[in-house]
Amino acid sequence: MGIVAGLDSSPDFTRIVVCDTDTGAVLRQGYAPHPVEGRPSDIDPQAWLLSLGEAAGGGLLEGVQAIGVSAQQNAVIPLDAQGNTVRPAMVGGDKRAQVAAADLVDALGGREAWAQAVGCVPQAAQPVTKLRWLAKNEPENALRTAALLQAHDWLVWQLLGRPVRRTTDRGGASGTGYWSAATGAYRPDLVELALGHQAMLPEVIGPSDAAGTTPEGLLISAGTGETMAAAFGLGIGLGDAVVSLGASGSVMAVHPEALTDQSGMITSLADATGMHLPVVTTLNAVRVLRGAAELLGLPDLESLSELAMKSTPGAHGLVLLPYLEGERTPNLPHTAGTLAGLRRESMKPQHLARAAFEGMLCGLADALDVLRGRGVDVRRIFLLGPAAELPAVQASAPSLFGTQVVVPQPADYTAIGAARQAAWALGVSQGTLDPRTPPAWQGAAAQVLEPGEELAVGQAVRQQFTAVREQTHPGAFRA
């Protein structure tokens, strides 16, 4: 068939991979940082185009037949009636919108009402919440806002030469807070609730549909958010979950239907294939390890892992409830961490190091149980993030999660997922691929870890953690 490109416009950079359409093999790649200092809450989206142009330099896209675009989620670009940006794009976690999130929850009648409406409860980062902030803090800009796009929508629109038709995909739309993965429809009333009036929203096209063709004849696929693109690049399917170890953590799994969770612990996203991606987030993951390393006077996480490996499963009875920044799962926003089980023999650095790893992983296992408790099948877990390579994580994760753990080799999975989407749209347009079946690319090269004989030990550690959690925060967590 030929070659396709996948573009990943992250918060910090643009990365492009050029792949063989049949196998997914990466043939060429380009990279460029955005010309922006730090991570501002507002950014001129032209910065994304500048780094895109730089990353694509040197003939990188020569011979490419189709491009897929993935981009940072939660960015919202307000446009006026002429299609010009009203103000810089609102990006990132955007803590200034926390009050706006609480306002919106109350305005619709509580967390349950939002979960029923769109499958998620407003958080500070979400576009719907940013619109509420805009209406309250920049009313003139809110009044001028006639249309709304997210980052990948805007980039696709620019690549196509700013046509009248503006598009998005299910994955991107599902994170806005004003589109429901369960019904597959927008809730314009929620845009009005947030912004003060309605606005034009992009057309949601199917996973294998093309958004259009550039003036030069390049096919542009639907595009999607970075989470959905990474899942597609990894090749996860039914029975698979992804545990992502950042400063905070997330657990998501592929599921055939949207989940409505009245507690608001599950965010019901759509994926890039026509399926669903329920996500549960924890506020505390690698920040727990960094805190433990600082407390123990260690220079890095590798040293913490090495020390933890000198202890044994269960950390001699030490249990760390890792709620250092409060917690979202369980919903304990104002709590602190707890260290339990202190005895003379357990008061050793290696046991505290081990308890930090086990506490972090047990917190993520709790999040996984939220999904399992709603009938999500999890037979295999993909563990992502640099901390996934640490021996102390790999030694504990399979037995604590109770299933096979796959640690993929580092690669540009988000850009690869975007390229795979481009190959799918190209194949469908040429009549060589089924619109319901994506191209079967080679899976991620990975290390596979089995719980094996350690399973019973891991489950005992989980029980010890659960007992401390229930004693400290009775009834706070219900999977």
Side-chain angles (χ1 to χ4, degrees), residues 284-306:
N284 297 281
V286 175
R287 59 165 45 104
V288 177
L289 305 182
R290 296 205 186 284
E294 287 169 14
L295 182 67
L296 292 167
L298 298 172
D300 50 39
L301 298 188
E302 288 73 19
S303 305
L304 185 72
S305 172
E306 194 178 320

Side-chain angles (χ1 to χ4, degrees), residues 16-20 23-29 411-412 416 419 441-442:
I16 302 173
V17 296
V18 175
C19 299
D20 179 274
T23 65
V26 176
L27 308 174
R28 306 191 287 268
Q29 44 196 328
D412 302 322
I416 290 167
W441 282 10
Q442 295 161 349

Side-chain angles (χ1 to χ4, degrees), residues 74-296:
N74 295 323
V76 64
I77 302 105
L79 303 177
D80 64 18
Q82 288 71 46
N84 301 313
T85 51
V86 169
R87 68 177 316 283
M90 304 171 72
V91 299
D94 223 345
K95 288 188 175 176
R96 64 188 170 180
Q98 284 173 336
V99 173
D103 278 354
L104 280 178
V105 171
D106 291 343
L108 196 66
R111 297 167 66 84
E112 206 170 301
W114 278 97
Q116 292 286 354
V118 286
C120 61
V121 177
Q123 304 291 329
Q126 279 181 301
V128 71
T129 307
K130 289 172 173 152
L131 297 182
R132 180 71 157 200
W133 183 90
L134 189 65
K136 295 283 185 188
N137 294 275
E138 299 178 6
E140 289 182 9
N141 284 337
L143 275 173
R144 288 177 55 219
T145 298
L148 298 169
L149 292 177
Q150 292 188 88
H152 81 80
D153 310 337
W154 188 85
L155 285 164
V156 164
W157 186 54
Q158 297 295 322
L159 289 173
L160 291 172
R162 295 165 60 105
V164 173
R165 180 193 189 215
R166 301 185 187 109
T167 62
T168 190
D169 86 309
R170 298 168 64 254
S174 67
T176 58
Y178 44 81
W179 185 87
S180 166
T183 63
Y186 280 118
R187 288 287 302 265
D189 58 314
L190 298 182
V191 174
E192 188 169 349
L193 181 71
L195 188 62
H197 61 88
Q198 295 201 7
M200 289 277 292
L201 301 170
E203 177 189 342
V204 181
I205 61 176
S208 61
D209 291 345
T213 307
T214 69
E216 300 78 31
L218 264 176
L219 183 140
I220 308 291
S221 63
T224 195
E226 59 188 348
T227 299
M228 300 79 192
F232 198 39
L234 280 166
I236 69 168
L238 288 172
D240 291 336
V242 176
V243 173
S244 183
L245 299 175
S248 54
S250 67
V251 179
M252 65 179 178
V254 179
H255 198 56
E257 59 192 33
L259 295 178
T260 301
D261 174 53
Q262 295 180 356
S263 72
M265 281 196 287
I266 298 174
T267 298
S268 194
L269 299 178
D271 79 346
T273 72
M275 302 285 273
H276 293 269
L277 272 182
V279 181
V280 180
T281 305
T282 69
L283 295 181
N284 297 281
V286 175
R287 59 165 45 104
V288 177
L289 305 182
R290 296 205 186 284
E294 287 169 14
L295 182 67
L296 292 167

Side-chain angles (χ1 to χ4, degrees), residues 347-404:
M347 294 177 73
K348 291 185 169 59
Q350 65 266 32
H351 302 323
L352 178 57
R354 183 85 185 203
F357 281 96
E358 290 178 347
M360 176 191 75
L361 291 169
C362 283
L364 289 160
D366 279 351
L368 192 62
D369 282 350
V370 172
L371 295 178
R372 283 173 163 151
R374 293 299 308 278
V376 177
D377 182 28
V378 179
R379 296 189 298 272
R380 181 172 65 160
I381 289 170
F382 285 76
L383 199 56
L384 301 187
E389 303 285 336
L390 296 172
V393 169
Q394 296 192 2
S396 302
S399 62
L400 293 177
F401 292 149
T403 194
Q404 184 186 81

Side-chain angles (χ1 to χ4, degrees), residues 413-435:
Y413 294 112
T414 304
I416 290 167
R420 190 178 177 206
Q421 187 195 64
W424 194 6
L426 180 66
V428 168
S429 75
Q430 294 173 337
T432 56
L433 286 177
D434 186 321

